[in-house]
Amino acid sequence: MTGVAVDLGFEAIDGHHADYSPGSPDLPKVTDALRELALLPCPDIELRHAEQRLAHYVADSADAEAFAGDALLHTDWNNHNVLITHNRARLVDWGWATRGAPWLDPAHWVIWLIAAGHTPSDAEESVSLLPAWAWAPPRAVDAFAHASANLWKEIAGAAPDDWTRNLLDAAQHWQQHRIDRS
């Protein structure tokens, strides 16, 4: 490919996949990683935009505009994408890197926390001290919960495996929690 520069970086990391279960000692390290990520400037590279990625899944197309922003987002908080070392969490597999509102990464993590056994209230409490989450408009979070349930329904398809069924159930559970709070 002429004129295209690609930089790859590799580092061997001695650690384990994050444990998101309630009471896990990994949770504060993941929270710190979310806090650190929110402080990084989004590089001037071509990335998908959150409002475009999620537009198909919202109830009202105007809701997707609440997902717009200039933050660098990981968006795939699968616990296998977070390696825990003795002193920190490291994010790997940036295949879904996105530009968007800074509160979206904590919102994505909420679903994974619920899938790991947290209640929706406890999952939201886990992200509540993150500055990015504090700026999240409640109506936008409601729209994201709705979009996420639709996204996971599409991913799960007609015959979901256990893994996707668990994430679909978590997303739907969070969506219902957000509806019940209204």
Side-chain angles (χ1 to χ4, degrees):
M1 295 199 303
T2 306
V4 175
V6 177
D7 291 325
L8 295 175
F10 296 94
E11 179 181 352
I13 297 174
D14 185 20
H16 63 272
H17 298 293
D19 175 3
Y20 291 163
S21 63
S24 168
D26 296 346
L27 297 177
K29 292 177 182 176
V30 177
T31 301
D32 288 345
L34 278 157
R35 189 175 290 113
E36 187 177 337
L37 176 57
L39 296 174
L40 294 176
C42 191
D44 188 21
I45 59 173
E46 188 172 327
L47 291 172
R48 302 253 340 249
H49 291 253
E51 66 274 21
Q52 294 166 336
R53 283 187 58 199
L54 296 169
H56 175 70
Y57 304 104
V58 292
D60 178 345
S61 60
D63 288 340
E65 289 308 311
F67 308 147
D70 290 322
L72 173 62
L73 305 173
H74 187 276
T75 74
D76 188 2
W77 288 87
N78 179 329
N79 66 304
H80 287 101
N81 292 339
V82 181
L83 297 178
I84 304 296
T85 65
H86 69 282
N87 63 347
R88 66 186 300 195
R90 302 218 181 194
L91 304 179
V92 299
D93 189 353
W94 283 80
W96 285 12
T98 301
R99 182 184 310 274
W103 58 268
L104 286 172
D105 264 342
H108 280 284
W109 192 41
V110 164
I111 296 168
W112 287 91
L113 290 171
I114 295 168
H118 296 258
T119 67
S121 294
D122 289 342
E124 287 181 356
E125 172 117 4
S126 293
V127 300
S128 68
L129 297 177
L130 292 166
W133 183 258
W135 291 98
R139 180 162 157 48
V141 175
D142 294 344
F144 178 80
H146 176 85
S148 295
N150 288 337
L151 171 67
W152 280 104
K153 184 175 182 178
E154 181 178 280
I155 291 169
D161 58 24
D162 291 341
W163 183 83
T164 52
R165 167 54 63 193
N166 187 35
L167 271 298
L168 172 59
D169 289 347
Q172 290 176 332
H173 193 50
W174 188 36
Q175 177 188 27
Q176 189 59 51
H177 170 77
R178 298 298 302 183
I179 290 169
D180 293 344
R181 291 177 55 164
S182 304

